[in-house]
Amino acid sequence: MTGRVVTITSGKGGVGKTTTTANLGVSLALQNLRVVVIDADIGLRNLDLVMGLENRIVYDMVDVVEGRCSLRQATVKHKDYPHLYLLPASQTRDKTAITPDNMRMICAELKEDNDFILIDSPAGIEWGFKNAIAPADESIIVTNPEVSSVRDADRIIGLIEAEEDPVRSWLIVNRVKANMVRRGEMLSVKDVVSLLAIKLLGVIPDDDVVVRSSNEGIAVTGKTREAFDAIARRLNGESVPVDTYENGGSFFGRFLKLFSN
Amino acid sequence: MVSIEFKGIRQGILVTLPDAGEWATIQADLAARIDSQKEFFRGANIVLQVGKRSVRRHELDSLITLLEKRNVVLTGVLSEAATTQGATRKLGLATDLDELEVVSHRPADVPETHAQQPTAAPAMNSEVQGADAVLIRRTLRSGNNIHHHGHVIVLGDVNAGAEIIAGGDIIVWGHLRGVVHAGANGGLDAVVCALNLEPTQLRIGSLISVSPAKRRRRPQPERAYIENGQIHAEAWKP
Ligand SMILES: Nc1ncnc2c1ncn2[C@@H]1O[C@H](COP(=O)(O)OP(=O)(O)OP(=O)(O)O)[C@@H](O)[C@H]1O
Ligand SMILES: [Mg+2]
């Protein structure tokens, strides 16, 4: 098996990287794919919390790198989804304890028996981001439909494109509010896509369910679950039309023809 | 770092130095600024504005040596101080902008015929003399900065947060949303063209303009240029 390493990043903080990593991981696992999610936000780990796995952590990535345990010992199996695993970040240690080479080695090993390795990148363009992007085969850029977040996304895409062997970048627009878009108070998905000019992987509505389920450490439900399921299928090569969640309830005209393979 | 200002003028680049502070420090800072934008300064004529500061001949000498190493030519020093003016004249440099030629193309070290070697500056008549240009075949994204002493052509968009500073013209075959400065060393005849001209800020020579607040219109190719001391934009009609 050769898994795909997908790094979820954004530039700006708080736009939904961790939410996306956790829920996309669940969607892929529900489609019978083997998935490992990696928390690359050393020092500020919270992927374990959002996934409800905090109390199961024994070892973390730094323990693996420093030889205190094997990779297998450090990966935590999800209690509800047997195909889903978490490799936690270390809570306290110095973030320079992990290097891009460490990340490449860990991912090379995980690729052997998993379909997807999702890496939750920290915000910013510093050390943590560089670690997160180093082993990537692809990247998912998460943005909100808002000027400053799009600007940072653009910056990150530019940095990725400037790499020697640039990886493909996908776009997820998170927290779209139908009523604000309709009133013209928010950038539309179309605006964001035309500005960033990378392939749209999917759109996630702004939904209170996200906050509630993160707090409880469970996967999202309802329309946001559907959004993540559709994203997982597209990532896996299926052709699924993109719902932009910009037209509220009306079914007709809900689908934008932004997606084509 | 002390504040050193650069401004494109018709005679080259006007460099305004702070009135106060150690000459050695200022000189080092100026060198650092030039080194950080090597391409932009290479072959440039510069005129110093030193205000009330008394600059002695040996101080000017050491500055000239430092500039020569960087391929920059000092052509004049503007000052209200008699010492400075005296030192400047002794070195055969101008003390007044009117004594200086308007630069069309830069230094004399460029051979007349230069099939291989590009000139160091945009020539006034670039069809005859040739001029440097860079072609960038991608979208410039936020954080990308391009500084070039000649013309800059982008096949792609120039996104908000990206910046182009060119000695000559700027042509964007795409959507221009970032900051652009054409004719950055004083070329008032420089133009900026784009398929969709919506820069955050557009400068030509020493003039600055900003895009009018969001006009919802059909994008069309436009060209910005200076006329009667103002930047104008007009639809591009071939
Ligand atoms: N679609 C959404 N609807 C409503 N709230 C959301 C949505 N997506 C994310 N949030 C909320 O936004 C906050 C930030 O989300 P998250 O932690 O996933 O972002 P992040 O990009 O990982 O942040 P950081 O840069 O700090 O790591 C959380 O409180 C989350 O619940
Ligand atoms: Mg996070």
Side-chain angles (χ1 to χ4, degrees):
Chain A
M1 198 183 296
T2 312
R4 289 157 67 186
V5 180
V6 183
T7 297
I8 290 99
T9 187
S10 67
K12 189 165 192 266
V15 299
K17 296 177 293 294
T18 301
T19 304
T20 299
T21 309
N23 285 287
L24 182 55
V26 169
S27 292
L28 289 165
L30 286 174
Q31 290 167 29
N32 269 326
L33 296 157
R34 279 181 66 99
V35 184
V36 181
V37 296
I38 301 181
D39 190 346
D41 204 344
I42 293 188
L44 282 173
R45 78 172 188 209
N46 55 20
L47 187 56
D48 54 324
L49 264 177
V50 172
M51 296 177 77
L53 297 175
E54 193 191 13
N55 55 7
R56 305 197 170 208
I57 295 175
V58 182
Y59 296 110
D60 59 44
M61 198 161 31
V62 176
D63 292 320
V64 177
V65 166
E66 294 179 355
R68 276 182 293 274
C69 69
S70 70
L71 186 52
R72 196 172 293 265
Q73 282 174 303
T75 45
V76 181
K77 187 175 183 153
H78 199 286
K79 52 188 192 297
D80 304 324
Y81 311 98
H83 289 316
L84 183 60
Y85 294 80
L86 165 73
L87 178 57
S90 120
Q91 184 76 281
T92 48
R93 275 178 267 242
D94 171 18
K95 58 177 183 262
T96 57
I98 304 282
T99 65
D101 275 337
N102 295 149
M103 292 295 289
R104 285 190 202 100
M105 251 145 71
I106 289 173
C107 288
E109 195 175 331
L110 292 173
K111 272 166 106 156
E112 284 172 21
D113 38 27
N114 291 284
D115 296 293
F116 280 96
I117 294 103
L118 305 182
I119 303 177
D120 182 14
S121 160
I125 54 177
E126 311 300 328
W127 190 264
F129 162 72
K130 288 184 181 133
N131 274 337
I133 202 73
D137 298 315
E138 296 153 64
S139 64
I140 294 178
I141 314 293
V142 181
T143 187
N144 296 154
E146 158 225 280
V147 173
S148 65
S149 152
V150 171
R151 182 73 66 91
D152 287 1
D154 191 46
R155 180 97 198 254
I156 283 283
I157 299 166
L159 289 177
I160 293 173
E161 283 174 351
E163 295 277 300
E164 209 171 292
D165 195 6
V167 298
R168 167 184 205 174
S169 301
W170 301 89
L171 179 66
I172 288 182
V173 184
N174 182 28
R175 308 198 73 160
V176 171
K177 291 189 181 145
N179 49 4
M180 284 186 78
V181 175
R182 257 175 313 184
R183 290 198 299 264
E185 293 165 356
M186 193 177 240
L187 292 176
S188 72
V189 172
K190 210 172 160 186
D191 290 339
V192 176
V193 172
S194 92
L195 206 139
L196 295 177
I198 58 171
K199 188 93 161 167
L200 183 65
L201 183 62
V203 179
I204 302 159
D206 189 79
D207 188 352
D208 291 345
V209 149
V210 175
V211 181
R212 272 202 306 273
S213 47
S214 299
N215 287 339
E216 287 176 40
I218 57 171
V220 297
T221 51
K223 62 176 177 187
T224 302
R225 174 85 267 138
E226 287 167 27
F228 281 113
D229 286 345
I231 286 173
R233 281 159 61 197
R234 274 180 224 116
L235 189 62
N236 204 27
E238 275 181 64
S239 166
V240 183
V242 178
D243 188 339
T244 63
Y245 298 96
E246 288 175 326
N247 290 294
S250 89
F251 182 80
F252 293 103
R254 230 170 102 173
F255 295 106
L256 191 67
K257 287 203 68 181
L258 281 169
F259 184 72
S260 60
N261 232 345
Chain B
M1 214 186 232
V2 294
S3 76
I4 299 178
E5 281 168 33
F6 300 94
K7 187 176 167 214
I9 55 170
R10 290 154 62 87
Q11 294 83 355
I13 301 171
L14 182 68
V15 181
T16 307
L17 302 181
D19 276 351
E22 281 286 311
W23 182 253
T25 321
I26 293 171
Q27 196 170 287
D29 283 344
L30 177 59
R33 292 281 293 270
I34 294 174
D35 288 341
S36 72
Q37 291 181 34
K38 277 198 197 77
E39 277 307 297
F40 181 71
F41 282 99
R42 199 176 65 206
N45 283 351
I46 69 167
V47 179
L48 289 186
Q49 167 61 267
V50 299
K52 294 194 192 61
R53 175 190 288 277
S54 295
V55 186
R56 290 165 201 290
R57 180 161 168 186
H58 72 268
E59 292 175 324
L60 281 182
D61 270 334
S62 87
L63 180 71
I64 289 169
T65 318
L66 176 150
L67 291 175
E68 271 171 359
K69 276 198 197 118
R70 289 168 175 78
N71 234 315
V72 174
V73 183
L74 182 66
T75 55
V77 181
L78 315 181
S79 170
E80 293 132 42
T83 326
T84 313
Q85 290 178 359
T88 306
R89 278 202 208 90
K90 276 197 193 108
L91 286 164
L93 303 178
T95 52
D96 192 313
L97 284 181
D98 292 337
E99 299 167 34
L100 288 168
E101 253 180 272
V102 170
V103 279
S104 49
H105 47 91
R106 289 215 208 101
D109 61 7
V110 180
E112 281 295 337
T113 48
H114 43 73
Q116 301 301 101
Q117 191 157 4
T119 61
M124 196 69 118
N125 189 348
S126 56
E127 286 179 22
V128 176
Q129 286 157 306
D132 260 5
V134 283
L135 173 62
I136 296 157
R137 296 178 68 170
R138 64 184 170 93
T139 287
L140 294 181
R141 297 188 180 272
S142 173
N144 289 156
N145 296 324
I146 302 288
H147 291 220
H148 185 71
H149 59 266
H151 309 301
V152 175
I153 302 148
V154 180
L155 285 182
D157 296 341
V158 177
N159 288 351
E163 181 185 84
I164 300 177
I165 297 181
D169 301 335
I170 296 171
I171 297 162
V172 178
W173 190 261
H175 197 147
L176 170 50
R177 304 182 185 89
V179 172
V180 289
H181 189 175
N185 38 7
L188 294 173
D189 60 341
V191 297
V192 176
C193 307
L195 293 187
N196 194 350
L197 188 70
E198 279 184 331
T200 309
Q201 200 188 79
L202 187 150
R203 300 181 218 146
I204 298 177
S206 53
L207 300 181
I208 301 183
S209 71
V210 293
S211 287
K214 206 91 192 148
R215 351 166 224 176
R216 273 283 172 195
R217 51 151 181 81
R218 216 194 184 85
Q220 58 175 353
E222 282 183 298
R223 186 173 70 111
Y225 57 96
I226 294 184
E227 194 177 77
N228 300 328
Q230 270 200 320
I231 297 179
H232 293 271
E234 65 172 19
W236 175 260
K237 300 256 167 43

